[in-house]
Amino acid sequence: FVQLQSVHASGEVHNVVKSKIQRRTLNPEWDQEFVLGTKHPIGETDQIEAEFEEYRQKIAAASMTEEAQKEALRELSRMEKMPPQAAEYSVIKTYLDWLTELPWGDIEEESIDIPLARQVLDEDHYDLQEVKDRILEFLAVRKLALERGSGALSPEERRGAILCFVGPPGVGKTSLGRSIARAMGREFTRMSLGGMRDEAEIRGHRRTYIGAMPGRIIQALRRVGTRHPVFMLDEVDKIGADWRGDPSSALLEVLDPEQNSSFRDHYLDVDYDLSQVMFIATANLLEPIPPALRDRMETLYLDGYVEYEKIQIAQQYLVPRQRRVNSLEEAELTIEDQGLKTIIRDYTREAGVRQLEREIGRVARKIATRIASGELEEHIALDEEGVRDLLGKPRFFFEAGERTETPGVVTGLSVNQTGGDVLFIESTRMGGSGQLKLTGQLGDVMRESANLALSFVRARADKLGLSDELFEKTDVHVHVPAGSIPKDGPSAGVAIVTSLVSLFTHTCVDPDVAMTGEITLRGRVLPVGGIKQKVLAAHRFGLKSVILPHRNEADLDDLPDEVRQEMEFVLVKTTDEVLENAFPRLEPAV
């Protein structure tokens, strides 16, 4: 007080300090440091010091990198110099919480059991042999490195795999990630990328912003509590981009083994090692993924299932699961193979098994209702007739024969994000001036294919027995049904040519034949993609023969043996060969 009085001659300052000392005397719980400028009561001061000490212990025990520890101690030193009421105090405190709670420490050595891993994968999923083999290869390499090396894996040997599962919905991409984590003895976490448009979702926000947080990569690692989980990035093909940035570009660093060992989140602003994480991305289509991002991942295709595989999946996984969900005993819900075949053919039309499980669930709920109401006393295994009685009228029909009874209609094949599909190309003509009209929400490439097909047919008019006047006085309308669904691509060229030839020659196409392939102006048939998905769609649709480009012959090796035995494949090089196989009846239709 004497020192303050000597420095400040002002009576006002003297009165303020005197007032503080009087309050200190009247209320002993106030600490004398209050007079010297600090604002902490006695108990609060001890509590804050204890909090600082707690953070020091957390930082020491977190096994951070040298850079992260240095940054944490620097921020702690800043926090000690400011009052708790300051806005920056809580910001620093939250930052230190993130740093100390992240898994920084060394990774425990894995105990790898290849037979057990194979058993786990087989228990959870039927078939998918290529994917299972790739996972077992990854585990086998790590096991040999442990046994034949120094007993500990180097950072390069620990490096996680970066896989991308591509396939239609319902084939088991996401659930396969959980099985992989269980087979490897690792934790599992996932992040959905569908609709993401903000780059900060990946890299986080800088701490200068109010409410800043780390990116979802760092958040997931803190939540799972380990540096080497199986991390699933769902729907990587559905990332968007706008003025907030491009998340797919931010993923380039995350999914690059050469860069992600020093991943720098904007919020943390220190390097974090992601190289030990096993990233698994999923996508319905490969094309929407940017080429640079696609190049960083090893792509594994999970195509649709054939009828035999769906029956096995239903008997081994879907029916038992629906029994548990609907509180039924094993003897109370039994569906024979013929009953499942009826559900697959008449009530579903998909590459995966998601809708199949829904229909089995409908059956289970109806059985549960009859049991609970006392209507069903003894159990009967459901066959085809029993399934129809519970599910009602069929939703799908094998309509290829009916649709192609009219000249100008051809069965084509396509691929979309739900897998392979069958589409019909319909053509008709009327009097006019040689105009071509296209409908069905077709893309630019498919429109070019239609114009190309008409030019080719006109150029071959003499060989087809048609006159030039017929084309000059005729308008042609080409339509692809399901007009609400966008369609594009060159693979319908063969089908459009066949449709126009069928129209002008008044000859019906073989109802059991589907076709795909791109054509040139000279009549060559070029290879196309998605052969396996297209053939599986034709098989689901009940078709017996598929016309394919000759250069796609190697793709037939990917087909299941059941499909190759039940279907006939005609490999063609020119459109003349297509027409020879598409019209078994040379006589015109009546």
Side-chain angles (χ1 to χ4, degrees), residues 81-107:
K81 297 175 182 177
M82 61 180 63
Q85 294 81 6
E88 186 71 10
Y89 188 93
S90 61
V91 173
I92 296 176
K93 185 176 179 181
T94 304
Y95 176 73
L96 292 177
D97 287 338
W98 276 102
L99 278 182
T100 55
E101 291 176 11
L102 279 174
W104 295 91
D106 294 335
I107 297 173

Side-chain angles (χ1 to χ4, degrees), residues 413 494 514-517 525-528 530-532 534-535 545-553 555-556 559 568-573 577-578:
L413 299 172
V494 165
M515 59 191 70
T516 185
V525 178
L526 301 181
V528 293
I531 294 297
K532 182 177 181 180
K534 293 176 180 178
V535 172
S545 179
V546 179
I547 298 176
L548 302 171
H550 188 273
R551 287 166 59 183
N552 282 120
E553 183 177 8
D555 295 322
L556 298 179
L559 296 174
E568 178 186 0
F569 302 101
V570 181
L571 302 174
V572 297
K573 295 181 180 179
E577 297 176 15
V578 174

Side-chain angles (χ1 to χ4, degrees), residues 223-282:
R223 185 169 57 249
V224 80
T226 178
R227 282 178 55 204
H228 68 309
V230 174
F231 199 127
M232 177 150 282
L233 302 171
D234 255 339
E235 312 296 349
V236 72
D237 59 329
K238 297 177 179 60
I239 297 178
D242 60 12
W243 57 271
R244 290 169 293 185
D246 183 3
S248 63
S249 298
L251 281 175
L252 294 178
E253 180 184 7
V254 175
L255 299 181
D256 190 343
E258 301 299 329
Q259 299 181 45
N260 63 9
S261 59
S262 57
F263 173 70
R264 184 172 286 262
D265 186 274
H266 286 162
Y267 181 85
L268 298 181
D269 201 27
V270 294
D271 289 346
Y272 191 85
D273 186 5
L274 298 178
S275 62
Q276 315 307 319
V277 180
M278 182 175 187
F279 287 103
I280 300 177
T282 70

